[in-house]
Amino acid sequence: MRALGLDRAAIASAGKLRHGQDEKERRPKAETPKGFRDYFGAEVSERAAMLATIAEVYHRYGFEALESSAVETVEALGKFLPDVDRPNAGVFAWQEDEGDGKAEGGGDWLALRYDLTAPLARVYAQHRNHLPTPYRRYAMGPVWRNEKPGPGRFRQFYQCDADTVGSASMAADAEICAMLADTLEAVGIARGDYIIRVNNRKVLNGVLEVMDLTEGVTRDAVMRTIDKFDKVGEAGVRELLGKGRLDASGAFIDGVGLSDDQAGPVLAFLTSRADDADRTLANLRAAVGASQAGLAGVDELEEIATLLQAQGYGPDRIVIDPSVVRGLGYYTGPVFEAELTFEILDDKGRPRQFGSVAGGGRYDDLVRRFTGQAVPATGISIGVDRLLAALREKGRVGGQEAGPVVVTVMDRKRMADYMAMAAELRQAGIRAEVYLGNPKNFGNQMKYADRRNAPLAVIEGEDERARGVVQVKDLILGARIAESATLEEWKERPAQVEVPRAELARRIREMLDGQG
Amino acid sequence: MRALGLDRAAIASAGKLRHGQDEKERRPKAETPKGFRDYFGAEVSERAAMLATIAEVYHRYGFEALESSAVETVEALGKFLPDVDRPNAGVFAWQEDEGDGKAEGGGDWLALRYDLTAPLARVYAQHRNHLPTPYRRYAMGPVWRNEKPGPGRFRQFYQCDADTVGSASMAADAEICAMLADTLEAVGIARGDYIIRVNNRKVLNGVLEVMDLTEGVTRDAVMRTIDKFDKVGEAGVRELLGKGRLDASGAFIDGVGLSDDQAGPVLAFLTSRADDADRTLANLRAAVGASQAGLAGVDELEEIATLLQAQGYGPDRIVIDPSVVRGLGYYTGPVFEAELTFEILDDKGRPRQFGSVAGGGRYDDLVRRFTGQAVPATGISIGVDRLLAALREKGRVGGQEAGPVVVTVMDRKRMADYMAMAAELRQAGIRAEVYLGNPKNFGNQMKYADRRNAPLAVIEGEDERARGVVQVKDLILGARIAESATLEEWKERPAQVEVPRAELARRIREMLDGQG
């Protein structure tokens, strides 16, 4: 089978390559590339469990799994065009060799996907005749970014997306929001610990329209200023739209130079959120005035709010919030963002809101660039690693994974007996293993069991075997006693008990249950 | 959150790039790169389910999950050294840009992992001070090969490995074989439908030793001939080791040119498999004669056989078979191969054995190239996609996934009601969705439900709403009736029933259960 010898050949043959060379000289560094990391044990299984839970919710909503290839042509990814000088700005890209092994010549440029949305566009365009329309699909897996890594920012990370392609109905957007709320609760975020905020790009377009800003530059300046609303607030935005503003450092930031009248609609837009959807919508209508685009956007928001209300998703879970501006530049209609509202301590020990764990919206250029036909689409992307980090903060997942019961080796000639014990335990559904290191030093075996976080260790020496018993060491209890030898309850429970060999599995099960 | 706007920006901005350009001209091809493919629906969920089952078995044996980065430095992968002319022979590799965006200069060469073993070497060398020793780990995920794709051969495919690093004990090898047998049965391969064959590289070394072949070229020629044993059999190998042989096409293949005496040990080795392990081992001892290496190899095989026997893994599941030669060149001790023994029909309709789905062995250069210290290791790699293909052949997995209950849209102004129905069904654990396409043409809604493989469709028009009922269409029954209108049992069951709106979820559940 191709997936074998060749693989495992690698190490050996690489070793051979080096024979007769000065090994010290030639030794490779044992490191991940900059910005990449490895995941161990519970980090892996907890993520797998979360992805399975999310997939189950998506599936119940009628979404179909899709796993596209991790490698795409740069052409299909679309964001990056082949450029001999800078082929891989933002992505990891390389040029296909043409079989002659040389990268010169006309080989395709390939790249690792940087998200799960661009591949969806390619997949839908390629397979649309065999896919249902509308096409609801979910996808989960790693994506790669050729960016400067930062603390907690890696160049490979997981995303988990759900998109509906081929439906222009606001019902599709409402469904995505409802599904996102169900998903967050399914993975363990309590109601009240999250809020899904909904906005609409068309409303902002309407605002810009009534401001009568035709000139692109000024429009962009206004957009950039709106993006600062979270930081500088209403007053700050007012100044930045006008003459300018002294920032905290005392530096003066030039303003966009609008009159108060011109700036009015933007401020009305940014501050239009009220206690209930109806009043928020009324404020937005006022802000967009006579703009047809703007009014269409408000109508879309109203329709989404109505559909969600009818299913019982109130403003405690999903709220219309015009101050959601991030990403507005990219979308063509509704925009969603899910934030976790509980506070955590940042690296400097200061409390701050955990913040965004998911976002998305409606975008209509998804497939057009391949087929020439506009195809409406809307979707959401969950930042799985951030969501996991949040659950760890809340203690909902994490902590050390329970290790296996370790069967120690007192007599290496009796290995078969020890392996038979482990097999018995596994057949009883108990995680178990035999110590496979050098058994000479029993202390090392106990150190190993400790490092494996083993709850129990099984010991059978010559004497025990003669008497048909085994010793079972309670390592968790042992550790507790070592910590606080005074506590009576533990004094009473012995940290080591002798059990009949014939009752091994049953008695071990009892002890494990006793450990809770 | 970083994982959002930017991603979903890609499409839109790519679209923008093209504004004012001749779209036809600039339209990208909607295709995966050569040798890559996408996986849909059940293909994805069935693989996920299999990986979860395998992980559970590995975990119960005490193996820890590891997910290393998909990207490694070429230096760490080891098999391929940076070569400006041919940087990516066999792997997908590229040179890190240095921030200035130019690939020129001293950026590291990075590559996609081509298996899960080379990364394990790097991880163990990098983290060995924090890992238990011996370190049992499992890993599952895609690997990438820059090879010429063929039918059923893709350049991205899944592997699922388990390795024990840091144990020289044959108990580690025996454990791997036992775990592999348990795994194959856990995923649905019946006992008797698979065989795990075990051989040992040292035995072959011993055979070559007693043949007194010092000159490398001849030794390699013998190895190549041994590899042909499966094809040409004993007589063929005898000829090829000697003067040569006329092959099927009538062409004459030159032989290695050994005398019959010299060729004797190889033939004894290849034909040494007997009905039981003891006799096979005796034959092997005879074949390796006085070679210390050879006798050590036979002892190792005997130890593995004894350990497995003691746990009840007899030759019906795991057998010593010296004719396992594939990969022998790479390993330093025991070698394992798992084969499925049932027959399938090949593309030409001829019956053939399904063949190998997993393999591995012991190799001791795993970590040495990083640290200079030899670290013994042994492991197995399962070809997940081939194993899935085998289970599909046996009908153990596959077939179409059950689609969602489709709630149709008779009156688009009542969308909220239809979505509430779907929500009710989902809360009852039933997969359900509302039709989100243009509802004008009801025929299209039925075609959609059909394409989604929906078991039931819910219909509520004005009349039904007035009467507080809904119509439920049994699409599976409907299809059967359409096929064979004569069968009485179906005539009796109506393909469409009217149920009270208030009992929607309960009645739908009953109908789904009735469909079995």
Side-chain angles (χ1 to χ4, degrees):
Chain A
M1 170 187 155
R2 68 185 281 246
L4 302 182
L6 174 55
D7 317 356
R8 293 170 175 284
I11 306 309
S13 55
K16 289 204 196 73
L17 272 181
R18 287 170 171 61
H19 280 339
Q21 297 171 327
D22 172 5
E23 291 228 339
K24 273 245 175 31
E25 278 304 306
R26 311 285 291 100
R27 256 179 227 163
K29 274 199 235 69
E31 286 172 9
T32 47
K34 241 190 297 81
F36 291 87
R37 58 159 291 189
D38 305 309
Y39 297 83
F40 295 88
E43 291 177 319
V44 178
S45 44
E46 282 165 7
R47 179 163 55 200
M50 171 181 278
L51 292 176
T53 303
I54 296 175
E56 203 232 320
V57 176
Y58 287 177
H59 185 263
R60 206 180 321 129
Y61 268 85
F63 285 68
E64 290 289 326
L66 169 66
E67 182 168 338
S68 62
S69 61
V71 177
E72 297 275 350
T73 63
V74 167
E75 179 190 19
L77 284 180
K79 190 177 176 189
F80 309 86
L81 300 171
D83 167 351
V84 179
D85 266 6
R86 214 163 187 296
N88 53 356
V91 294
F92 293 104
W94 62 91
Q95 189 171 25
E96 271 261 66
D97 57 19
E98 292 277 75
D100 63 356
K102 301 248 190 283
E104 281 75 78
D108 287 342
W109 279 96
L110 304 183
L112 290 173
R113 65 186 178 202
Y114 54 85
D115 72 359
L116 299 173
T117 311
L120 172 60
R122 192 267 307 156
V123 167
Y124 186 81
Q126 181 174 348
H127 302 283
R128 62 190 185 282
N129 298 334
H130 311 288
L131 293 172
T133 298
Y135 176 49
R136 288 179 175 96
R137 87 89 177 80
Y138 70 87
M140 31 189 63
V143 299
W144 294 267
R145 301 278 173 86
N146 191 359
E147 292 170 346
K148 202 164 170 304
R153 266 172 77 103
F154 296 98
R155 304 208 287 178
Q156 171 178 329
F157 56 93
Y158 269 74
Q159 287 190 342
C160 183
D161 287 21
D163 294 82
T164 299
V165 181
S167 174
S169 166
M170 285 303 110
D173 301 87
E175 177 178 78
I176 292 279
C177 292
M179 185 168 73
L180 180 56
D182 290 3
T183 302
L184 292 174
E185 293 182 19
V187 299
I189 304 291
R191 199 170 299 186
D193 276 347
Y194 70 90
I195 188 74
I196 297 167
R197 308 194 293 159
V198 182
N199 195 5
N200 192 307
R201 170 63 204 253
K202 291 177 182 171
V203 177
L204 177 62
N205 289 349
V207 169
L208 295 171
E209 206 178 301
V210 294
M211 291 170 70
D212 180 32
L213 303 161
T214 46
E215 192 200 330
V217 181
T218 321
R219 199 190 181 94
D220 295 345
V222 172
M223 287 290 286
R224 279 195 302 276
T225 308
I226 288 173
D227 270 326
K228 300 200 178 104
F229 179 73
D230 288 344
K231 269 202 242 69
V232 302
E234 178 179 0
V237 168
R238 186 186 301 278
E239 291 173 339
L240 288 170
L241 288 172
K243 299 194 167 41
R245 160 168 202 274
L246 274 175
D247 71 9
S249 71
F252 186 81
I253 314 297
D254 288 335
V256 180
L258 302 180
S259 70
D260 284 1
D261 286 1
Q262 274 184 302
V266 177
L267 292 161
F269 166 76
L270 287 173
T271 60
S272 55
R273 178 173 171 181
D275 297 344
D276 62 72
D278 293 352
R279 236 170 303 145
T280 304
L281 291 164
N283 294 339
L284 286 175
R285 278 189 210 289
V288 299
S291 159
Q292 288 314 304
L295 291 170
V298 179
D299 290 343
E300 289 182 357
L301 284 175
E302 183 165 25
E303 192 176 347
I304 291 172
T306 310
L307 289 169
L308 289 170
Q309 207 51 263
Q311 294 170 70
Y313 294 87
D316 58 323
R317 287 190 277 175
I318 307 175
V319 64
I320 293 172
D321 185 346
S323 72
V324 178
V325 285
R326 182 199 280 106
L328 264 187
Y330 310 125
Y331 294 102
T332 57
V335 187
F336 331 116
E337 181 164 51
E339 289 200 355
L340 302 188
T341 51
F342 56 78
E343 287 193 333
I344 59 159
L345 299 179
D346 66 15
D347 22 358
K348 295 189 180 56
R350 292 169 308 211
R352 62 167 182 79
Q353 284 214 342
F354 190 89
S356 177
V357 291
R362 176 170 285 277
Y363 45 96
D364 293 334
D365 277 321
L366 180 65
V367 176
R368 190 173 59 75
R369 44 184 296 269
F370 290 104
T371 64
Q373 306 158 303
V375 176
T378 186
I380 193 79
S381 181
I382 295 179
V384 175
D385 296 313
R386 269 185 64 79
L387 191 50
L388 266 174
L391 288 166
R392 293 203 180 98
E393 287 280 351
K394 295 288 267 186
R396 300 276 167 75
V397 301
Q400 218 174 355
E401 194 176 34
V405 172
V406 171
V407 177
T408 59
V409 176
M410 303 299 284
D411 174 355
R412 68 171 74 215
K413 289 190 301 307
R414 313 237 42 103
M415 208 62 186
D417 299 345
Y418 300 127
M419 292 183 81
M421 289 187 205
E424 270 177 53
L425 293 173
R426 285 192 291 261
Q427 274 144 30
I430 297 164
R431 191 183 188 200
E433 62 174 49
V434 175
Y435 179 72
L436 286 181
N438 183 339
K440 249 214 224 88
N441 177 336
F442 188 72
N444 286 346
Q445 298 198 47
M446 282 297 114
K447 278 205 205 76
Y448 171 84
D450 196 50
R451 177 163 259 190
R452 295 289 282 113
N453 194 31
L456 301 171
V458 177
I459 306 162
E460 185 203 57
E462 210 174 319
D463 163 66
E464 281 84 8
R465 225 182 63 264
R467 291 166 39 229
V469 299
V470 299
Q471 305 292 333
V472 182
K473 226 176 168 33
D474 186 330
L475 300 174
I476 291 171
L477 181 60
R480 287 199 188 130
I481 290 176
E483 282 161 12
S484 55
T486 61
L487 289 176
E488 289 313 316
E489 52 153 333
W490 290 329
K491 283 241 190 68
E492 286 150 24
R493 277 175 57 192
Q496 179 166 324
V497 298
E498 182 172 293
V499 311
R501 170 68 182 83
E503 297 173 16
L504 180 66
R506 186 174 63 72
R507 297 291 297 275
I508 292 261
R509 164 59 62 203
E510 285 169 6
M511 291 178 75
L512 289 173
D513 295 345
Q515 289 177 334
Chain B
M1 166 184 162
R2 66 184 282 249
L4 302 181
L6 173 57
D7 317 356
R8 293 170 175 286
I11 306 309
S13 57
K16 287 202 195 76
L17 272 180
R18 288 171 171 62
H19 280 338
Q21 297 172 325
D22 173 5
E23 291 227 342
K24 274 247 175 32
E25 278 304 307
R26 311 285 291 99
R27 257 180 225 161
K29 276 201 235 64
E31 288 172 8
T32 47
K34 240 189 299 85
F36 291 87
R37 58 159 291 190
D38 305 309
Y39 297 83
F40 295 89
E43 292 177 318
V44 178
S45 44
E46 282 164 8
R47 179 163 54 200
M50 170 181 278
L51 291 176
T53 303
I54 296 175
E56 202 229 320
V57 177
Y58 287 177
H59 185 264
R60 206 178 322 127
Y61 268 84
F63 285 67
E64 290 288 325
L66 168 67
E67 183 169 336
S68 61
S69 61
V71 178
E72 296 276 351
T73 63
V74 167
E75 180 190 19
L77 284 182
K79 189 177 176 188
F80 308 87
L81 300 171
D83 167 351
V84 179
D85 264 6
R86 211 160 188 298
N88 53 357
V91 294
F92 293 105
W94 62 90
Q95 190 171 25
E96 272 261 67
D97 58 19
E98 291 278 75
D100 64 355
K102 302 249 189 279
E104 282 75 82
D108 286 343
W109 279 97
L110 305 183
L112 290 173
R113 65 185 178 202
Y114 54 84
D115 73 359
L116 299 172
T117 311
L120 172 61
R122 192 265 309 155
V123 167
Y124 186 81
Q126 181 174 348
H127 302 283
R128 63 189 184 281
N129 297 334
H130 311 288
L131 293 172
T133 298
Y135 177 48
R136 290 179 174 97
R137 87 88 177 80
Y138 71 87
M140 32 190 61
V143 300
W144 294 267
R145 302 277 174 87
N146 191 1
E147 293 171 345
K148 203 162 170 305
R153 262 173 82 102
F154 296 99
R155 304 207 289 178
Q156 171 180 329
F157 56 93
Y158 269 76
Q159 287 189 343
C160 184
D161 288 20
D163 294 82
T164 299
V165 182
S167 174
S169 167
M170 285 302 112
D173 301 86
E175 176 179 78
I176 291 279
C177 292
M179 185 168 71
L180 180 55
D182 289 3
T183 302
L184 291 174
E185 293 182 20
V187 299
I189 303 292
R191 199 169 298 186
D193 276 348
Y194 71 90
I195 188 76
I196 296 167
R197 308 195 292 158
V198 182
N199 196 2
N200 192 307
R201 171 64 204 248
K202 292 178 183 173
V203 177
L204 177 61
N205 288 350
V207 169
L208 296 171
E209 207 177 301
V210 294
M211 289 170 73
D212 180 33
L213 302 161
T214 45
E215 193 200 330
V217 181
T218 322
R219 198 189 182 94
D220 296 345
V222 172
M223 287 290 288
R224 279 196 301 278
T225 308
I226 289 173
D227 270 328
K228 300 201 179 99
F229 180 72
D230 287 346
K231 269 203 243 68
V232 302
E234 177 179 359
V237 167
R238 185 185 302 279
E239 292 172 339
L240 288 170
L241 287 173
K243 300 199 166 38
R245 156 169 206 274
L246 274 175
D247 72 8
S249 71
F252 186 81
I253 314 297
D254 287 334
V256 178
L258 301 180
S259 70
D260 283 1
D261 285 0
Q262 275 184 302
V266 177
L267 292 162
F269 167 74
L270 288 174
T271 60
S272 55
R273 179 174 170 181
D275 297 345
D276 62 74
D278 293 350
R279 233 169 307 143
T280 304
L281 291 164
N283 294 341
L284 286 175
R285 280 190 209 287
V288 298
S291 160
Q292 288 314 306
L295 291 170
V298 179
D299 289 343
E300 289 182 359
L301 283 175
E302 184 165 25
E303 192 176 346
I304 292 173
T306 309
L307 289 169
L308 289 170
Q309 204 55 258
Q311 295 170 70
Y313 293 88
D316 57 324
R317 287 189 278 176
I318 306 174
V319 64
I320 292 171
D321 184 347
S323 73
V324 179
V325 286
R326 184 200 278 105
L328 265 186
Y330 310 125
Y331 294 101
T332 56
V335 187
F336 332 116
E337 181 163 50
E339 288 201 354
L340 302 188
T341 51
F342 56 78
E343 288 193 332
I344 59 160
L345 299 180
D346 66 14
D347 19 354
K348 295 192 178 55
R350 293 167 307 209
R352 60 166 184 81
Q353 284 214 341
F354 189 89
S356 178
V357 292
R362 177 170 285 276
Y363 45 98
D364 292 334
D365 278 322
L366 181 65
V367 177
R368 191 173 59 76
R369 43 185 296 269
F370 289 104
T371 65
Q373 306 159 304
V375 176
T378 185
I380 192 81
S381 181
I382 296 178
V384 174
D385 295 313
R386 270 185 64 81
L387 191 50
L388 265 174
L391 288 166
R392 294 206 179 95
E393 287 281 350
K394 294 288 267 186
R396 299 276 166 75
V397 302
Q400 218 174 357
E401 194 177 35
V405 172
V406 171
V407 177
T408 60
V409 176
M410 304 299 284
D411 175 355
R412 67 171 76 213
K413 287 189 301 308
R414 312 239 40 106
M415 208 61 185
D417 300 344
Y418 300 127
M419 291 181 83
M421 289 186 206
E424 271 177 52
L425 293 174
R426 286 192 291 261
Q427 275 144 30
I430 298 164
R431 192 183 188 199
E433 62 173 50
V434 175
Y435 179 71
L436 286 181
N438 182 341
K440 241 206 235 102
N441 177 338
F442 188 72
N444 285 347
Q445 300 198 46
M446 283 296 114
K447 278 204 205 76
Y448 171 84
D450 195 50
R451 177 163 261 191
R452 295 287 283 112
N453 195 31
L456 301 171
V458 176
I459 305 163
E460 183 203 58
E462 210 175 318
D463 164 65
E464 282 83 9
R465 228 185 60 262
R467 292 168 37 231
V469 298
V470 299
Q471 305 294 332
V472 182
K473 228 175 167 28
D474 185 330
L475 299 174
I476 292 171
L477 181 59
R480 287 201 188 130
I481 290 177
E483 282 162 12
S484 56
T486 60
L487 289 175
E488 289 313 317
E489 50 154 335
W490 291 331
K491 282 239 191 72
E492 287 151 22
R493 275 174 57 192
Q496 180 168 323
V497 297
E498 182 173 294
V499 311
R501 169 68 182 84
E503 298 173 15
L504 180 66
R506 187 173 62 73
R507 297 291 299 273
I508 293 257
R509 164 59 61 204
E510 286 169 6
M511 290 177 75
L512 289 173
D513 295 346
Q515 289 177 335

